[in-house]
Amino acid sequence: MPKNRIEQLLQLHAEGNATPADTEELYGFYLSREYAGIVEELIDTCWDQSSFETLLADQESEALYQNISRRLSRRQRWRAERWAAAASVLLALALGWLWLQRGPEKKQEAALPAVTDVAPPAAANAVLFSDNGDKQLLKHKDTLDASYMARQSGEYNTIFNPRGSRPVIVVLADSTRLWLNAESSVKYPLQFAAGERRVQVSGEAYFEVTHQDDKPFIVESGSALVKVLGTHFNINTFDNKTKVTLLQGMVQVSNQRDSGLITPGQSAIIAGGLNIAATDTVSAVAWKSHLFNFKETPLNEILQEIGRWYDVEVVYEERVPDITLSGSIDRNINASRVLEMLHLSSGLEFEIRDRRILVKQSQ
């Protein structure tokens, strides 16, 4: 049961034995709409004075962090190397300290109802991370002003939009606007360098770049680089490849071996080599308008996108069916209705069971 696993992770942090992977797993439970309440419930049983939501959101959280840090040994105040783990330090320290102070004697088992349908995300639940470990939950904020958030200390900020979250708009210091999809992140400097504007993207983002002749805008994604002056484009790094789709302007796309220019209506796919071809721009940016829009898209990619939107796991009863589908579906409906449409198109059977989508061949 997930609740038992969450209790195990809490105990590992209390004992100082949690690995960075344990911290990320625990933080992932809190970011999930399905399990956030369970995490908060367990925290409340250990410390009745405050809910976990208040602990993280109130201005007093910084003072609490300092208090916790003074109580812990130097060995426990580890410095994580990966940004996601580093940004979870406050969470890990707070949970461990509260557990040690109050003990687990108040824990009680609660039966979880079986999940047979999943609603679409009701709001954006992005998180702001600073490279020095500071963290801020940005719940229910659809537009984020990077200049306003630049008061965070450190040289860089990272905004992470988790699974099961609506897209968020980020306005950078140069007025460039970007839309960040679920399970995606953007890392940007608090101040751009003199000769360029450079950001890093993981997942999927759509950019509307402000034109500056003397200051190109560069997007890094693994080994891929996208260089522009002012343009509109989508970048998708899911499925072990980087796909750049251009809607307006002109961009240069390169990796360690190849380089090429793409024009509106084209996409560049980097997966080892570089391939440029005409593409369907409507499908590429449909997520920004809260639509699923597929054109001869492999079924496994469709279900991965559905999994990110509804924050569910996709499980295949047998091998992954080698089929492609086309069509458009509103994202703002329950998962069962989306799967019903996929069933009519593919002939496959889909079942939602405890936040898992089971994919089965028709009998």
Side-chain angles (χ1 to χ4, degrees):
M1 293 288 292
K3 184 171 183 179
N4 293 337
R5 178 56 181 163
I6 293 171
E7 290 180 357
Q8 293 173 359
L9 292 170
L10 289 169
Q11 189 63 40
L12 285 172
H13 284 88
E15 296 168 351
N17 295 324
T19 66
D22 292 329
T23 299
E24 289 193 50
E25 182 181 358
L26 179 58
Y27 194 61
F29 276 120
Y30 182 67
L31 290 179
S32 168
R33 291 186 300 121
E34 176 70 12
Y35 301 119
I38 298 176
V39 177
E40 294 173 1
E41 174 193 344
L42 290 172
I43 291 298
D44 287 341
T45 63
C46 299
W47 192 22
D48 298 330
Q49 284 88 337
S50 174
S51 71
F52 189 54
E53 179 80 13
T54 303
L55 170 66
L56 288 180
D58 283 357
Q59 296 179 351
E60 295 176 354
S61 63
E62 177 61 26
L64 176 60
Y65 174 81
Q66 298 298 334
N67 185 30
I68 294 169
S69 297
R70 287 193 294 270
R71 288 173 177 264
L72 295 175
S73 67
R74 184 177 300 274
R75 178 182 67 83
Q76 289 173 297
R77 278 179 269 153
W78 47 271
R79 181 181 180 87
E81 296 299 327
R82 296 170 63 187
W83 66 264
S88 303
V89 167
L90 175 56
L91 171 68
L93 294 178
L95 296 183
W97 182 72
L98 294 177
W99 197 272
L100 287 172
Q101 292 295 306
R102 296 286 295 183
E105 70 278 357
K106 293 187 180 180
K107 292 185 296 181
Q108 52 186 347
E109 194 68 31
L112 296 177
V115 176
T116 58
D117 202 355
V118 182
N125 293 300
V127 187
L128 173 69
F129 296 123
S130 179
D131 60 351
N132 67 357
D134 290 341
K135 174 176 82 285
Q136 179 184 355
L137 298 181
L138 306 171
K139 280 195 169 187
H140 311 300
K141 294 184 179 179
D142 297 324
T143 302
L144 310 173
D145 189 332
S147 297
Y148 172 75
M149 294 185 294
R151 68 179 187 275
Q152 298 282 340
S153 56
E155 297 181 8
Y156 292 88
N157 279 348
T158 298
I159 294 175
F160 172 62
N161 200 31
R163 293 169 67 92
S165 174
R166 297 177 75 88
V168 293
I169 301 173
V170 181
V171 183
L172 299 178
D174 65 340
S175 297
T176 289
R177 294 164 63 88
L178 67 95
W179 284 251
L180 200 60
N181 205 350
E183 199 176 5
S184 304
S185 66
V186 59
K187 180 178 180 180
Y188 57 91
L190 301 188
Q191 292 186 343
F192 286 118
E196 66 178 23
R197 298 166 288 166
R198 184 180 293 256
V199 301
Q200 298 176 18
V201 167
S202 175
E204 185 167 27
Y206 172 80
F207 285 83
E208 293 184 353
V209 178
T210 300
H211 184 89
Q212 292 187 14
D213 286 328
D214 58 343
K215 207 168 187 177
F217 194 95
I218 299 173
V219 180
E220 290 185 38
S221 177
S223 62
L225 288 179
V226 181
K227 184 177 181 180
V228 303
L229 293 176
T231 188
H232 297 182
F233 66 95
N234 192 80
I235 181 167
N236 184 321
T237 70
F238 295 122
D239 305 313
N240 300 314
K241 62 179 182 286
T242 298
K243 181 178 181 180
V244 180
T245 303
L246 185 62
L247 285 79
Q248 179 180 313
M250 182 178 293
V251 304
Q252 180 183 36
V253 180
S254 61
N255 61 6
Q256 296 174 344
R257 298 183 302 176
D258 303 303
S259 178
L261 293 174
I262 60 174
T263 56
Q266 291 184 321
S267 66
I269 298 178
I270 298 175
L274 173 63
N275 181 48
I276 297 175
T279 193
D280 180 5
T281 59
V282 174
S283 294
V285 299
W287 63 270
K288 193 168 75 70
S289 301
H290 305 297
L291 291 172
F292 295 112
N293 191 303
F294 308 111
K295 185 173 183 180
E296 295 299 320
T297 304
L299 177 67
N300 68 309
E301 293 185 17
I302 293 174
L303 289 174
Q304 287 172 16
E305 186 170 343
I306 290 172
R308 288 190 291 269
W309 179 244
Y310 291 100
D311 188 17
V312 295
E313 179 185 1
V314 178
V315 179
Y316 296 91
E317 190 175 67
E318 300 176 3
R319 64 177 180 83
V320 180
D322 185 19
I323 60 175
T324 60
L325 298 174
S326 299
S328 182
I329 309 172
D330 187 350
R331 286 178 179 244
N332 296 314
I333 59 177
N334 282 5
S336 61
R337 293 182 59 192
V338 175
L339 296 177
E340 182 180 352
M341 296 179 193
L342 289 183
H343 163 70
L344 295 175
S345 300
S346 68
L348 296 169
E349 300 291 338
F350 301 93
E351 179 183 353
I352 300 174
R353 186 186 304 166
D354 293 333
R355 299 200 72 85
R356 288 186 174 187
I357 296 176
L358 306 181
V359 184
K360 299 180 285 187
Q361 298 286 347
S362 298
Q363 300 299 320

